[in-house]
Amino acid sequence: MKEKGNTAAVTARTPVIGLPRALLYEREAVMWKAFFSSLGMRGIISAPTNREMLRLGAEAAIDEVCLSTKIYLGHVRSLFGKCDLILVPRVSNYGLHRNMCTKFESLYDLVCNVFRNTGQRFLAYNVDVLGGISEEKAFVDLGMALGFGRKDAVRAFRRAGRAAAEDWHKKISREERLYRTDQIKVLVAGHSYLTEDAYIGRPLFQYLEEMGVVPIRADRVDRKEALRQSVRVSPTIKWEMSRELLGSIQMHKSKVDGLILMSAFPCGPDSMVNEMIIRKFPDIPILNIVMDNQDGTAGLETRLESFTDILKLKRGEL
Amino acid sequence: MKEAYLGIDIGSISTKGVIIDKDNQILASEYIWTEGDPMGAAGKLISALEKQFDKETYQIVATGTTGSARKLVGAMVGATIVKNEITAHAVGTTTLYPEVRTILEIGGQDSKIILVEHGIAVDYAMNTLCAAGTGAFLSSQARRLGVEVEDFGRIALTSKHPTQLAARCTVFAESDLVHKIQMGHTKEDIIAGLCRSVVSNYINNVGKGKKILSPVVFQGGVSKNIGVVEAFRKALGCDIIVDENGHLMGALGIAILAGKANARRTFDFSVEDMAFRTREINCGRCPNNCEIICIYRDDMLIDSWGNRCDKGALKAGIRTGVRTMAKN
Ligand code: SF4
Ligand code: SF4
């Protein structure tokens, strides 16, 4: 708004968006990055989880929330002072029987409330297909809220969608190859924010690899097919991500030597779904691991070692 | 000289050891309390085993450790194999009972189930979170009833109408128990009911829909309780085998595994006279700040663990304090 004759200059800096490397990050990162960069915005990503971040997150949270939410809060906090806006999506559902856990629905409000006196600003988009907000509308609204025109926002969304689909395709085919090795294979079924977490899930994968076992991620799967297959095991489960994992187990159970269920403590959906999985798949060795924020991996190593020993004994390799 | 193998199982409560020959025959065995000092217990165990062992005829060529302090004691005795207790138990039990299909185990703190096919463990599950079905739970309830837990089994067997108790979790079981006492149920009925609830808790929480096939071997501290054995027999409708050497299965299993593995190192009984020490240091090279456990023999670092990455790895052989002095 330059008035005639005014000689001053103002640089309008485009805001830097902070992306917490937790919860939906692993699932949506490609989409988010492509969307923001095609709008010409810059972003910054929090560092991989470490013990200090987890401590900060646990400090900010009430005791009762799940480990994944605590980790998320730690990531949010680590971005303070490094960006203008922190993206905290609010996702309710992708359709009927395609709900997200309530944590995802409440996340934005939870974060705003926990950090209400910090002066940090947050940015949300809302997905609620049953309530009439599709993913496309969510992103287009987000773009417009950031001051871009509808056309630009739509274009950015489409471009981001293509990038995400392409990336996902690559990831699945990489995972598909793993099913064909002759080594002992273990399907690891857990939410991607747990399995990919540098502090929680990655050490488990590393450990399995050191033991000569190939871990395969159940969540990296053709999602449409997984949703279809999941109905054969349970028609009523209502959580999208649980369905994907369940369907993936149904699709791959005969291609692996064992199954590891990995969940966070205390997780509502998983405590029900994993209990059901243990009873519905009696023919495959299952290890149920519940992660909490206790230090020390000794107990975990004992359980992983004995589990892989059993898989090796079965093949006569121990 | 004939070959022999040593197996040590160091649990939080008790420490067990066996020496076996090539044919898995037990040459020496010992059982002592750990008393919170695994290295001290291992030292005592070794000197007790030494007294029973015929050094003229046999030589220990491989040593295995298992149990919760397996790494620590493994470093101390120079173990050739270090393995978790579940594998060790499975191997020990299937060697003595090649026909076994199910191994039930209820210890002081946790409970496990191991399923076996053709002498090989094929599946297992354990429960470490819930105390309702464990020895610790039975002991605390025995105290409440003013009965020695050792007498539990005997008393339970005298009951004609075991009391129904909520078995789902300790909190419910406990309040239900108090209620039933006030309602006037007899002690023996309540005790028999407790034994039953331990069993149904186990079948629900540990067994979780797994097929429990006979022959069934029952191990762990609680297997000494004939009331629980009887409750398992009724619930599963089959015989329950309780071996009087059940507590040695882990040590036996790890001794067998040590014998089978390729690694060989002559065991030296003089370790019982050496001084071992542990120290905890914080790495501090990144925000993970890992706690690293160092174990020293006569001030020489022999092993360390707890570092999440190689940056925190310490070299065996350095002496306490020497490193900082060398810098100056
Ligand atoms: S699904 Fe479980 S782990 Fe994930 S956010 Fe919900 S409660 Fe937490
Ligand atoms: S051992 Fe590695 S991960 Fe742990 S504190 Fe040191 S540098 Fe960090």
Side-chain angles (χ1 to χ4, degrees), chain A residues 50-52 199 203 275 278-279 285-287 302-303 305-307 309-310 313-314 318, chain B residues 70-71 82-87 120-124 126 204 208 282 287-289 291 308:
Chain A
N50 59 46
R51 186 159 83 162
E52 181 59 15
Y199 193 74
E275 199 68 16
I278 291 170
R279 290 180 157 85
I286 300 179
L287 178 65
T302 299
R303 307 192 60 201
E305 188 193 89
S306 47
F307 187 66
D309 278 355
I310 278 182
L313 277 168
K314 229 174 150 177
L318 191 78
Chain B
R70 61 186 178 278
K71 258 190 169 171
V82 176
K83 269 253 169 264
N84 66 84
E85 51 273 30
I86 297 154
T87 308
I120 287 165
V122 290
D123 197 4
Y124 90 99
M126 73 191 284
N204 275 319
K208 276 194 194 154
N282 285 53
N288 280 337
N289 202 13
E291 278 160 18
R308 276 175 171 259

mmCIF file of all heavy atoms in Angstrom, chain A residues 50-52 199 203 275 278-279 285-287 302-303 305-307 309-310 313-314 318, chain B residues 70-71 82-87 120-124 126 204 208 282 287-289 291 308:
data_model
loop_
_atom_site.group_PDB
_atom_site.id
_atom_site.type_symbol
_atom_site.label_atom_id
_atom_site.label_comp_id
_atom_site.label_asym_id
_atom_site.label_seq_id
_atom_site.Cartn_x
_atom_site.Cartn_y
_atom_site.Cartn_z
ATOM 1 N N ASN A 50 15.380 -37.044 19.370
ATOM 2 C CA ASN A 50 16.398 -37.532 20.298
ATOM 3 C C ASN A 50 15.824 -37.469 21.708
ATOM 4 O O ASN A 50 14.697 -37.019 21.911
ATOM 5 C CB ASN A 50 17.699 -36.729 20.167
ATOM 6 C CG ASN A 50 17.475 -35.256 20.430
ATOM 7 O OD1 ASN A 50 16.809 -34.881 21.386
ATOM 8 N ND2 ASN A 50 18.023 -34.407 19.555
ATOM 9 N N ARG A 51 16.599 -37.935 22.638
ATOM 10 C CA ARG A 51 16.074 -38.063 23.994
ATOM 11 C C ARG A 51 15.646 -36.726 24.594
ATOM 12 O O ARG A 51 14.647 -36.633 25.286
ATOM 13 C CB ARG A 51 17.128 -38.717 24.904
ATOM 14 C CG ARG A 51 16.572 -39.002 26.268
ATOM 15 C CD ARG A 51 17.358 -40.051 26.987
ATOM 16 N NE ARG A 51 18.534 -39.481 27.622
ATOM 17 C CZ ARG A 51 19.213 -40.091 28.593
ATOM 18 N NH1 ARG A 51 18.828 -41.269 28.997
ATOM 19 N NH2 ARG A 51 20.266 -39.533 29.106
ATOM 20 N N GLU A 52 16.417 -35.689 24.264
ATOM 21 C CA GLU A 52 16.119 -34.366 24.800
ATOM 22 C C GLU A 52 14.757 -33.865 24.288
ATOM 23 O O GLU A 52 13.962 -33.306 25.030
ATOM 24 C CB GLU A 52 17.251 -33.404 24.407
ATOM 25 C CG GLU A 52 17.107 -31.992 24.894
ATOM 26 C CD GLU A 52 17.020 -31.875 26.417
ATOM 27 O OE1 GLU A 52 17.345 -32.858 27.111
ATOM 28 O OE2 GLU A 52 16.582 -30.816 26.896
ATOM 29 N N TYR A 199 14.347 -42.214 17.308
ATOM 30 C CA TYR A 199 14.644 -42.629 18.677
ATOM 31 C C TYR A 199 13.877 -43.891 19.070
ATOM 32 O O TYR A 199 14.360 -44.707 19.827
ATOM 33 C CB TYR A 199 14.295 -41.480 19.644
ATOM 34 C CG TYR A 199 14.850 -41.671 21.028
ATOM 35 C CD1 TYR A 199 16.212 -41.494 21.267
ATOM 36 C CD2 TYR A 199 14.028 -42.058 22.088
ATOM 37 C CE1 TYR A 199 16.734 -41.681 22.526
ATOM 38 C CE2 TYR A 199 14.551 -42.244 23.355
ATOM 39 C CZ TYR A 199 15.899 -42.060 23.568
ATOM 40 O OH TYR A 199 16.426 -42.244 24.816
ATOM 41 N N PRO A 203 15.841 -47.850 15.951
ATOM 42 C CA PRO A 203 16.742 -48.794 16.628
ATOM 43 C C PRO A 203 16.252 -50.233 16.511
ATOM 44 O O PRO A 203 17.051 -51.159 16.413
ATOM 45 C CB PRO A 203 16.709 -48.328 18.090
ATOM 46 C CG PRO A 203 16.380 -46.880 18.013
ATOM 47 C CD PRO A 203 15.444 -46.745 16.844
ATOM 48 N N GLU A 275 -4.871 -56.504 19.684
ATOM 49 C CA GLU A 275 -5.443 -57.631 20.427
ATOM 50 C C GLU A 275 -6.224 -58.535 19.463
ATOM 51 O O GLU A 275 -6.125 -59.755 19.522
ATOM 52 C CB GLU A 275 -6.355 -57.047 21.504
ATOM 53 C CG GLU A 275 -6.693 -57.946 22.638
ATOM 54 C CD GLU A 275 -5.502 -58.267 23.531
ATOM 55 O OE1 GLU A 275 -4.450 -57.590 23.478
ATOM 56 O OE2 GLU A 275 -5.631 -59.234 24.276
ATOM 57 N N ILE A 278 -3.796 -60.496 17.117
ATOM 58 C CA ILE A 278 -3.161 -61.640 17.771
ATOM 59 C C ILE A 278 -4.102 -62.845 17.750
ATOM 60 O O ILE A 278 -3.683 -63.979 17.546
ATOM 61 C CB ILE A 278 -2.754 -61.276 19.213
ATOM 62 C CG1 ILE A 278 -1.609 -60.261 19.186
ATOM 63 C CG2 ILE A 278 -2.352 -62.512 20.006
ATOM 64 C CD1 ILE A 278 -1.283 -59.639 20.527
ATOM 65 N N ARG A 279 -5.389 -62.586 17.908
ATOM 66 C CA ARG A 279 -6.342 -63.701 17.924
ATOM 67 C C ARG A 279 -6.752 -64.156 16.527
ATOM 68 O O ARG A 279 -7.093 -65.315 16.321
ATOM 69 C CB ARG A 279 -7.575 -63.304 18.731
ATOM 70 C CG ARG A 279 -7.264 -63.195 20.212
ATOM 71 C CD ARG A 279 -8.474 -62.804 21.020
ATOM 72 N NE ARG A 279 -8.328 -63.223 22.418
ATOM 73 C CZ ARG A 279 -7.702 -62.519 23.354
ATOM 74 N NH1 ARG A 279 -7.144 -61.371 23.048
ATOM 75 N NH2 ARG A 279 -7.610 -62.967 24.590
ATOM 76 N N PRO A 285 3.930 -66.477 13.935
ATOM 77 C CA PRO A 285 4.511 -65.988 15.192
ATOM 78 C C PRO A 285 4.396 -64.462 15.282
ATOM 79 O O PRO A 285 4.746 -63.759 14.340
ATOM 80 C CB PRO A 285 5.981 -66.409 15.107
ATOM 81 C CG PRO A 285 6.009 -67.522 14.127
ATOM 82 C CD PRO A 285 4.906 -67.244 13.143
ATOM 83 N N ILE A 286 3.871 -63.985 16.384
ATOM 84 C CA ILE A 286 3.646 -62.553 16.548
ATOM 85 C C ILE A 286 4.353 -62.045 17.798
ATOM 86 O O ILE A 286 4.282 -62.670 18.846
ATOM 87 C CB ILE A 286 2.133 -62.246 16.668
ATOM 88 C CG1 ILE A 286 1.398 -62.702 15.415
ATOM 89 C CG2 ILE A 286 1.904 -60.743 16.901
ATOM 90 C CD1 ILE A 286 -0.105 -62.464 15.455
ATOM 91 N N LEU A 287 5.034 -60.939 17.651
ATOM 92 C CA LEU A 287 5.629 -60.277 18.815
ATOM 93 C C LEU A 287 4.946 -58.928 18.972
ATOM 94 O O LEU A 287 4.897 -58.144 18.027
ATOM 95 C CB LEU A 287 7.133 -60.081 18.607
ATOM 96 C CG LEU A 287 7.876 -59.354 19.729
ATOM 97 C CD1 LEU A 287 7.863 -60.162 21.005
ATOM 98 C CD2 LEU A 287 9.315 -59.061 19.319
ATOM 99 N N THR A 302 16.003 -58.136 24.502
ATOM 100 C CA THR A 302 15.714 -59.507 24.922
ATOM 101 C C THR A 302 14.566 -60.074 24.105
ATOM 102 O O THR A 302 14.625 -61.191 23.600
ATOM 103 C CB THR A 302 15.317 -59.538 26.415
ATOM 104 O OG1 THR A 302 16.408 -59.056 27.173
ATOM 105 C CG2 THR A 302 14.969 -60.941 26.861
ATOM 106 N N ARG A 303 13.524 -59.271 23.961
ATOM 107 C CA ARG A 303 12.341 -59.773 23.277
ATOM 108 C C ARG A 303 12.595 -59.951 21.791
ATOM 109 O O ARG A 303 12.172 -60.933 21.188
ATOM 110 C CB ARG A 303 11.177 -58.832 23.529
ATOM 111 C CG ARG A 303 10.977 -58.587 25.026
ATOM 112 C CD ARG A 303 9.689 -57.910 25.328
ATOM 113 N NE ARG A 303 8.589 -58.720 24.862
ATOM 114 C CZ ARG A 303 7.383 -58.250 24.617
ATOM 115 N NH1 ARG A 303 7.131 -56.992 24.796
ATOM 116 N NH2 ARG A 303 6.437 -59.040 24.177
ATOM 117 N N GLU A 305 15.505 -60.498 20.412
ATOM 118 C CA GLU A 305 16.445 -61.601 20.226
ATOM 119 C C GLU A 305 15.725 -62.934 20.345
ATOM 120 O O GLU A 305 15.911 -63.820 19.511
ATOM 121 C CB GLU A 305 17.562 -61.510 21.271
ATOM 122 C CG GLU A 305 18.670 -62.510 21.023
ATOM 123 C CD GLU A 305 19.608 -62.631 22.224
ATOM 124 O OE1 GLU A 305 19.333 -63.462 23.100
ATOM 125 O OE2 GLU A 305 20.596 -61.905 22.268
ATOM 126 N N SER A 306 14.873 -63.075 21.375
ATOM 127 C CA SER A 306 14.213 -64.369 21.536
ATOM 128 C C SER A 306 13.251 -64.622 20.381
ATOM 129 O O SER A 306 13.111 -65.751 19.911
ATOM 130 C CB SER A 306 13.493 -64.452 22.871
ATOM 131 O OG SER A 306 12.731 -63.303 23.097
ATOM 132 N N PHE A 307 12.628 -63.556 19.899
ATOM 133 C CA PHE A 307 11.707 -63.721 18.774
ATOM 134 C C PHE A 307 12.449 -64.166 17.520
ATOM 135 O O PHE A 307 12.055 -65.128 16.858
ATOM 136 C CB PHE A 307 10.976 -62.404 18.522
ATOM 137 C CG PHE A 307 9.877 -62.491 17.503
ATOM 138 C CD1 PHE A 307 8.748 -63.258 17.757
ATOM 139 C CD2 PHE A 307 9.965 -61.815 16.298
ATOM 140 C CE1 PHE A 307 7.720 -63.340 16.825
ATOM 141 C CE2 PHE A 307 8.943 -61.891 15.361
ATOM 142 C CZ PHE A 307 7.817 -62.654 15.626
ATOM 143 N N ASP A 309 15.323 -65.611 17.427
ATOM 144 C CA ASP A 309 15.836 -66.959 17.677
ATOM 145 C C ASP A 309 14.796 -68.002 17.297
ATOM 146 O O ASP A 309 15.107 -69.023 16.694
ATOM 147 C CB ASP A 309 16.179 -67.146 19.164
ATOM 148 C CG ASP A 309 17.546 -66.576 19.502
ATOM 149 O OD1 ASP A 309 18.242 -66.130 18.574
ATOM 150 O OD2 ASP A 309 17.905 -66.577 20.690
ATOM 151 N N ILE A 310 13.558 -67.737 17.689
ATOM 152 C CA ILE A 310 12.494 -68.695 17.406
ATOM 153 C C ILE A 310 12.284 -68.832 15.901
ATOM 154 O O ILE A 310 12.140 -69.927 15.372
ATOM 155 C CB ILE A 310 11.206 -68.286 18.155
ATOM 156 C CG1 ILE A 310 11.337 -68.795 19.590
ATOM 157 C CG2 ILE A 310 9.967 -68.843 17.494
ATOM 158 C CD1 ILE A 310 10.164 -68.544 20.469
ATOM 159 N N LEU A 313 15.238 -70.864 14.750
ATOM 160 C CA LEU A 313 15.101 -72.270 15.152
ATOM 161 C C LEU A 313 14.143 -72.989 14.210
ATOM 162 O O LEU A 313 14.368 -74.117 13.807
ATOM 163 C CB LEU A 313 14.544 -72.355 16.576
ATOM 164 C CG LEU A 313 15.523 -72.204 17.735
ATOM 165 C CD1 LEU A 313 14.770 -72.018 19.041
ATOM 166 C CD2 LEU A 313 16.439 -73.420 17.831
ATOM 167 N N LYS A 314 13.069 -72.294 13.870
ATOM 168 C CA LYS A 314 12.050 -72.870 13.005
ATOM 169 C C LYS A 314 12.641 -73.260 11.653
ATOM 170 O O LYS A 314 12.244 -74.241 11.050
ATOM 171 C CB LYS A 314 10.951 -71.829 12.795
ATOM 172 C CG LYS A 314 9.559 -72.371 13.014
ATOM 173 C CD LYS A 314 8.586 -71.242 12.918
ATOM 174 C CE LYS A 314 7.255 -71.752 12.403
ATOM 175 N NZ LYS A 314 6.261 -70.703 12.373
ATOM 176 N N LEU A 318 19.611 -72.041 13.916
ATOM 177 C CA LEU A 318 20.284 -71.623 15.162
ATOM 178 C C LEU A 318 21.073 -72.792 15.737
ATOM 179 O O LEU A 318 20.532 -73.854 15.925
ATOM 180 C CB LEU A 318 19.251 -71.118 16.177
ATOM 181 C CG LEU A 318 19.832 -70.422 17.395
ATOM 182 C CD1 LEU A 318 20.249 -68.998 17.038
ATOM 183 C CD2 LEU A 318 18.827 -70.379 18.541
ATOM 184 N N ARG B 70 22.768 -61.401 31.950
ATOM 185 C CA ARG B 70 23.622 -62.260 31.126
ATOM 186 C C ARG B 70 24.822 -61.541 30.531
ATOM 187 O O ARG B 70 25.903 -62.110 30.417
ATOM 188 C CB ARG B 70 22.791 -62.908 30.019
ATOM 189 C CG ARG B 70 22.140 -61.922 29.066
ATOM 190 C CD ARG B 70 21.224 -62.652 28.083
ATOM 191 N NE ARG B 70 20.537 -61.770 27.168
ATOM 192 C CZ ARG B 70 19.423 -61.103 27.474
ATOM 193 N NH1 ARG B 70 18.901 -61.211 28.678
ATOM 194 N NH2 ARG B 70 18.848 -60.316 26.589
ATOM 195 N N LYS B 71 24.609 -60.263 30.155
ATOM 196 C CA LYS B 71 25.704 -59.524 29.525
ATOM 197 C C LYS B 71 26.813 -59.262 30.526
ATOM 198 O O LYS B 71 27.992 -59.470 30.255
ATOM 199 C CB LYS B 71 25.179 -58.190 29.006
ATOM 200 C CG LYS B 71 24.935 -58.165 27.527
ATOM 201 C CD LYS B 71 24.648 -56.740 27.111
ATOM 202 C CE LYS B 71 24.645 -56.578 25.612
ATOM 203 N NZ LYS B 71 24.169 -55.246 25.216
ATOM 204 N N VAL B 82 26.124 -65.634 24.696
ATOM 205 C CA VAL B 82 25.243 -64.905 25.603
ATOM 206 C C VAL B 82 23.876 -64.866 24.935
ATOM 207 O O VAL B 82 23.755 -64.363 23.819
ATOM 208 C CB VAL B 82 25.758 -63.468 25.836
ATOM 209 C CG1 VAL B 82 24.780 -62.679 26.701
ATOM 210 C CG2 VAL B 82 27.138 -63.481 26.469
ATOM 211 N N LYS B 83 22.872 -65.439 25.584
ATOM 212 C CA LYS B 83 21.548 -65.533 24.942
ATOM 213 C C LYS B 83 20.446 -65.237 25.931
ATOM 214 O O LYS B 83 20.585 -65.456 27.128
ATOM 215 C CB LYS B 83 21.324 -66.954 24.419
ATOM 216 C CG LYS B 83 21.771 -67.159 23.001
ATOM 217 C CD LYS B 83 20.597 -67.267 22.065
ATOM 218 C CE LYS B 83 21.068 -67.211 20.630
ATOM 219 N NZ LYS B 83 20.977 -65.883 20.053
ATOM 220 N N ASN B 84 19.328 -64.771 25.403
ATOM 221 C CA ASN B 84 18.167 -64.482 26.245
ATOM 222 C C ASN B 84 17.608 -65.741 26.891
ATOM 223 O O ASN B 84 17.793 -66.847 26.400
ATOM 224 C CB ASN B 84 17.090 -63.822 25.395
ATOM 225 C CG ASN B 84 16.573 -64.782 24.356
ATOM 226 O OD1 ASN B 84 15.703 -65.590 24.625
ATOM 227 N ND2 ASN B 84 17.154 -64.726 23.163
ATOM 228 N N GLU B 85 16.868 -65.560 27.981
ATOM 229 C CA GLU B 85 16.392 -66.684 28.777
ATOM 230 C C GLU B 85 15.287 -67.485 28.089
ATOM 231 O O GLU B 85 15.088 -68.661 28.394
ATOM 232 C CB GLU B 85 15.923 -66.211 30.150
ATOM 233 C CG GLU B 85 14.933 -65.058 30.165
ATOM 234 C CD GLU B 85 15.606 -63.680 30.137
ATOM 235 O OE1 GLU B 85 16.713 -63.570 29.550
ATOM 236 O OE2 GLU B 85 15.025 -62.732 30.683
ATOM 237 N N ILE B 86 14.563 -66.850 27.175
ATOM 238 C CA ILE B 86 13.461 -67.569 26.533
ATOM 239 C C ILE B 86 14.005 -68.678 25.638
ATOM 240 O O ILE B 86 13.582 -69.830 25.693
ATOM 241 C CB ILE B 86 12.578 -66.596 25.726
ATOM 242 C CG1 ILE B 86 11.955 -65.592 26.691
ATOM 243 C CG2 ILE B 86 11.493 -67.339 24.968
ATOM 244 C CD1 ILE B 86 11.603 -64.278 26.092
ATOM 245 N N THR B 87 14.985 -68.312 24.810
ATOM 246 C CA THR B 87 15.610 -69.308 23.952
ATOM 247 C C THR B 87 16.261 -70.398 24.804
ATOM 248 O O THR B 87 16.108 -71.589 24.527
ATOM 249 C CB THR B 87 16.674 -68.637 23.060
ATOM 250 O OG1 THR B 87 16.070 -67.535 22.395
ATOM 251 C CG2 THR B 87 17.219 -69.608 22.041
ATOM 252 N N ILE B 120 11.086 -78.058 18.469
ATOM 253 C CA ILE B 120 11.611 -76.725 18.182
ATOM 254 C C ILE B 120 10.581 -75.670 18.564
ATOM 255 O O ILE B 120 9.399 -75.786 18.237
ATOM 256 C CB ILE B 120 11.964 -76.613 16.684
ATOM 257 C CG1 ILE B 120 13.222 -77.414 16.397
ATOM 258 C CG2 ILE B 120 12.171 -75.159 16.285
ATOM 259 C CD1 ILE B 120 13.453 -77.662 14.946
ATOM 260 N N ALA B 121 11.037 -74.646 19.277
ATOM 261 C CA ALA B 121 10.137 -73.568 19.663
ATOM 262 C C ALA B 121 9.683 -72.828 18.421
ATOM 263 O O ALA B 121 10.494 -72.431 17.592
ATOM 264 C CB ALA B 121 10.857 -72.615 20.615
ATOM 265 N N VAL B 122 8.382 -72.657 18.238
ATOM 266 C CA VAL B 122 7.880 -71.986 17.040
ATOM 267 C C VAL B 122 7.160 -70.678 17.338
ATOM 268 O O VAL B 122 6.947 -69.859 16.454
ATOM 269 C CB VAL B 122 6.931 -72.886 16.224
ATOM 270 C CG1 VAL B 122 7.709 -74.014 15.576
ATOM 271 C CG2 VAL B 122 5.805 -73.432 17.088
ATOM 272 N N ASP B 123 6.762 -70.472 18.582
ATOM 273 C CA ASP B 123 6.070 -69.227 18.899
ATOM 274 C C ASP B 123 6.162 -69.010 20.401
ATOM 275 O O ASP B 123 6.291 -69.964 21.159
ATOM 276 C CB ASP B 123 4.599 -69.315 18.471
ATOM 277 C CG ASP B 123 3.937 -67.934 18.390
ATOM 278 O OD1 ASP B 123 4.636 -66.920 18.599
ATOM 279 O OD2 ASP B 123 2.736 -67.874 18.112
ATOM 280 N N TYR B 124 6.124 -67.779 20.812
ATOM 281 C CA TYR B 124 6.096 -67.538 22.253
ATOM 282 C C TYR B 124 5.430 -66.205 22.507
ATOM 283 O O TYR B 124 5.262 -65.379 21.611
ATOM 284 C CB TYR B 124 7.513 -67.542 22.837
ATOM 285 C CG TYR B 124 8.163 -66.191 22.852
ATOM 286 C CD1 TYR B 124 8.174 -65.427 24.008
ATOM 287 C CD2 TYR B 124 8.707 -65.660 21.695
ATOM 288 C CE1 TYR B 124 8.739 -64.173 24.022
ATOM 289 C CE2 TYR B 124 9.272 -64.409 21.708
ATOM 290 C CZ TYR B 124 9.285 -63.668 22.869
ATOM 291 O OH TYR B 124 9.817 -62.419 22.889
ATOM 292 N N MET B 126 4.992 -63.288 25.960
ATOM 293 C CA MET B 126 5.247 -63.050 27.368
ATOM 294 C C MET B 126 4.474 -61.847 27.840
ATOM 295 O O MET B 126 4.016 -61.033 27.057
ATOM 296 C CB MET B 126 6.737 -62.913 27.644
ATOM 297 C CG MET B 126 7.357 -61.636 27.162
ATOM 298 S SD MET B 126 9.151 -61.730 27.245
ATOM 299 C CE MET B 126 9.446 -61.543 28.980
ATOM 300 N N ASN B 204 -5.877 -66.147 29.372
ATOM 301 C CA ASN B 204 -6.407 -64.991 28.640
ATOM 302 C C ASN B 204 -5.347 -64.003 28.202
ATOM 303 O O ASN B 204 -5.377 -63.501 27.087
ATOM 304 C CB ASN B 204 -7.394 -64.226 29.533
ATOM 305 C CG ASN B 204 -8.773 -64.826 29.439
ATOM 306 O OD1 ASN B 204 -9.205 -65.198 28.354
ATOM 307 N ND2 ASN B 204 -9.423 -64.951 30.566
ATOM 308 N N LYS B 208 -3.655 -66.005 25.045
ATOM 309 C CA LYS B 208 -4.371 -65.270 23.985
ATOM 310 C C LYS B 208 -4.761 -66.098 22.770
ATOM 311 O O LYS B 208 -4.246 -65.870 21.671
ATOM 312 C CB LYS B 208 -3.515 -64.111 23.496
ATOM 313 C CG LYS B 208 -3.663 -62.919 24.371
ATOM 314 C CD LYS B 208 -3.127 -61.676 23.762
ATOM 315 C CE LYS B 208 -3.025 -60.667 24.878
ATOM 316 N NZ LYS B 208 -2.057 -59.658 24.699
ATOM 317 N N ASN B 282 27.948 -41.025 31.243
ATOM 318 C CA ASN B 282 27.072 -40.461 30.238
ATOM 319 C C ASN B 282 27.901 -40.025 29.048
ATOM 320 O O ASN B 282 28.910 -39.353 29.212
ATOM 321 C CB ASN B 282 26.315 -39.272 30.818
ATOM 322 C CG ASN B 282 25.223 -39.731 31.751
ATOM 323 O OD1 ASN B 282 25.481 -40.495 32.687
ATOM 324 N ND2 ASN B 282 24.022 -39.309 31.510
ATOM 325 N N PRO B 287 22.385 -34.958 22.038
ATOM 326 C CA PRO B 287 21.299 -34.801 23.022
ATOM 327 C C PRO B 287 20.731 -36.130 23.550
ATOM 328 O O PRO B 287 19.964 -36.116 24.501
ATOM 329 C CB PRO B 287 20.219 -34.029 22.249
ATOM 330 C CG PRO B 287 20.938 -33.360 21.148
ATOM 331 C CD PRO B 287 22.074 -34.264 20.777
ATOM 332 N N ASN B 288 21.073 -37.250 22.949
ATOM 333 C CA ASN B 288 20.582 -38.513 23.505
ATOM 334 C C ASN B 288 21.236 -38.818 24.855
ATOM 335 O O ASN B 288 20.659 -39.508 25.678
ATOM 336 C CB ASN B 288 20.851 -39.673 22.546
ATOM 337 C CG ASN B 288 19.828 -39.716 21.439
ATOM 338 O OD1 ASN B 288 18.734 -39.191 21.592
ATOM 339 N ND2 ASN B 288 20.181 -40.328 20.322
ATOM 340 N N ASN B 289 22.432 -38.329 25.020
ATOM 341 C CA ASN B 289 23.162 -38.493 26.280
ATOM 342 C C ASN B 289 23.038 -39.904 26.860
ATOM 343 O O ASN B 289 22.581 -40.095 27.988
ATOM 344 C CB ASN B 289 22.654 -37.450 27.282
ATOM 345 C CG ASN B 289 23.684 -37.196 28.360
ATOM 346 O OD1 ASN B 289 24.838 -37.603 28.223
ATOM 347 N ND2 ASN B 289 23.281 -36.532 29.425
ATOM 348 N N GLU B 291 23.409 -43.458 28.569
ATOM 349 C CA GLU B 291 24.102 -43.964 29.745
ATOM 350 C C GLU B 291 24.857 -45.218 29.337
ATOM 351 O O GLU B 291 24.272 -46.184 28.884
ATOM 352 C CB GLU B 291 23.096 -44.310 30.838
ATOM 353 C CG GLU B 291 22.663 -43.102 31.620
ATOM 354 C CD GLU B 291 21.360 -43.324 32.357
ATOM 355 O OE1 GLU B 291 20.967 -44.492 32.541
ATOM 356 O OE2 GLU B 291 20.748 -42.316 32.728
ATOM 357 N N ARG B 308 23.983 -45.728 21.910
ATOM 358 C CA ARG B 308 23.091 -45.907 20.774
ATOM 359 C C ARG B 308 23.831 -45.807 19.443
ATOM 360 O O ARG B 308 23.277 -46.089 18.400
ATOM 361 C CB ARG B 308 22.001 -44.842 20.792
ATOM 362 C CG ARG B 308 20.843 -45.212 21.678
ATOM 363 C CD ARG B 308 19.856 -44.087 21.748
ATOM 364 N NE ARG B 308 18.652 -44.541 22.424
ATOM 365 C CZ ARG B 308 17.535 -44.881 21.783
ATOM 366 N NH1 ARG B 308 17.448 -44.788 20.475
ATOM 367 N NH2 ARG B 308 16.492 -45.306 22.453
#
